[in-house]
Amino acid sequence: MARLLQLSDLHVVAPGARASDVLDTRALLRSAIDRLLGSLDAIGPLDAVLVTGDVSDDGSAASYDFARAELGRLDLPLLVVPGNHDQRDALRDAFADAAPMPREGLIDWVADLPGCRIVGLDTLVEGQGGGRLRVETLDLLGEAVRGSPHEALVVALHHPPLRTGIRFMDAIGLENSGALAGCLDGASCFVQVVAGHVHGVYHGRVGRWPVSTAPALCSAFALDRRVEAPVGFWTGPKGCAVIDTGPDGIWTAILLEDADGPYAF
């Protein structure tokens, strides 16, 4: 089986800017990569880095160039899908050498790794926060599911097919989760769905398959289900995830926060 490092919601900005006028996401990304480079021996061998959207916050070419350079320091294959803050063409240009990036159209792709097929789905609807799976995306997924030679399938997208209870995030969720469930219903191998967007760890199901969302590298949303809950973010906790694929695999969240230890017990 394959082991993936899942990074999500980098929200990188152009030089001199801050995301939402608060977050220095360039510095946050560089710090996260530094920390991960120091942890690779502990995490274990990785097959690829899976980036589940919102690479950029402002869609600028400079933000993508910076993100590409920082991610390149991990010296691993990069698999990238767009999020609602991304611009397809700018993302495509920056990651053109990251197979299997399509040269035009939607950023949907299929990558085969040891014992596992990874399918990246484009949910971006430019100009709005919510996401949608187009007919051609669902067709590609259906073909990938039917034709997979592996025991495991990982489906990666930005907008998760679940509801968190955070009203302002659920309002910009995935429009057609049912269509995704229908595509995956006939899968004969184990399916794992991973996403970002909600800046936190949530677990659910789409049809009969598990869904997990990764923490963001830059900020978090508090779990507040009150009608009058404030709309906004917190500066932490920040993190990422490691995915060991397959029926016996495990999805593990990693918090990128300062802490002392380990202490003997």
Side-chain angles (χ1 to χ4, degrees):
M1 295 293 108
R3 177 173 294 152
L4 309 172
L5 177 65
Q6 183 188 358
L7 307 180
S8 199
D9 297 273
L10 289 58
H11 287 274
V12 178
V13 290
R18 288 178 178 254
S20 301
D21 297 322
V22 175
L23 300 169
D24 185 352
T25 50
R26 296 168 74 90
L28 289 170
L29 176 57
R30 177 167 290 155
S31 175
I33 299 299
D34 286 344
R35 188 183 292 260
L36 287 166
L37 285 170
S39 302
L40 289 181
D41 286 346
I43 293 171
L46 292 164
D47 293 286
V49 176
L50 177 62
V51 185
T52 46
D54 281 358
V55 176
S56 174
D57 191 71
D58 57 16
S60 65
S63 67
Y64 287 111
D65 289 343
F66 181 84
R68 179 65 182 84
E70 287 298 311
L71 292 169
R73 293 202 287 138
L74 293 168
D75 196 25
L76 288 163
L78 298 174
L79 304 171
V80 186
V81 295
N84 54 290
H85 281 263
D86 286 311
Q87 296 291 326
R88 278 193 192 87
D89 289 342
L91 185 151
R92 192 193 322 274
D93 289 346
F95 292 90
D97 62 339
M101 178 63 68
R103 295 183 179 180
E104 60 183 10
L106 297 175
I107 300 180
D108 300 317
W109 45 260
V110 178
D112 287 326
L113 296 177
C116 181
R117 171 165 284 183
I118 318 295
V119 184
L121 304 181
D122 186 334
T123 59
L124 168 61
V125 181
E126 291 185 338
Q128 74 174 49
R132 183 188 314 126
L133 293 164
R134 279 78 164 182
V135 171
E136 51 266 52
T137 298
L138 294 166
D139 287 345
L140 176 142
L141 175 61
E143 291 178 10
V145 170
R146 291 189 296 272
S148 178
H150 302 300
E151 295 180 73
L153 181 78
V154 173
V155 177
L157 68 171
H158 180 67
H159 295 84
L162 51 74
R163 293 290 180 262
T164 65
I166 303 173
R167 293 171 186 268
F168 63 85
M169 289 306 297
D170 290 346
I172 55 170
L174 185 66
E175 293 178 10
N176 52 345
S177 297
L180 177 61
C183 266
L184 299 176
D185 186 57
S188 58
C189 62
F190 178 78
V191 179
Q192 195 169 3
V193 179
V194 298
H197 188 53
V198 292
H199 291 223
V201 177
Y202 295 87
H203 298 290
R205 302 186 81 79
V206 56
R208 58 195 176 102
W209 302 114
V211 179
S212 299
T213 66
L217 286 187
C218 66
S219 63
F221 299 124
L223 179 60
D224 190 336
R225 291 171 168 152
R226 296 173 296 174
V227 173
E228 69 278 13
V231 177
F233 62 86
W234 295 74
T235 57
K238 298 175 283 290
C240 57
V242 173
I243 307 165
D244 287 295
T245 64
D248 298 322
I250 187 170
W251 183 100
T252 306
I254 300 175
L255 295 183
L256 300 174
E257 303 289 336
D258 293 328
D260 294 328
Y263 293 98
F265 57 90

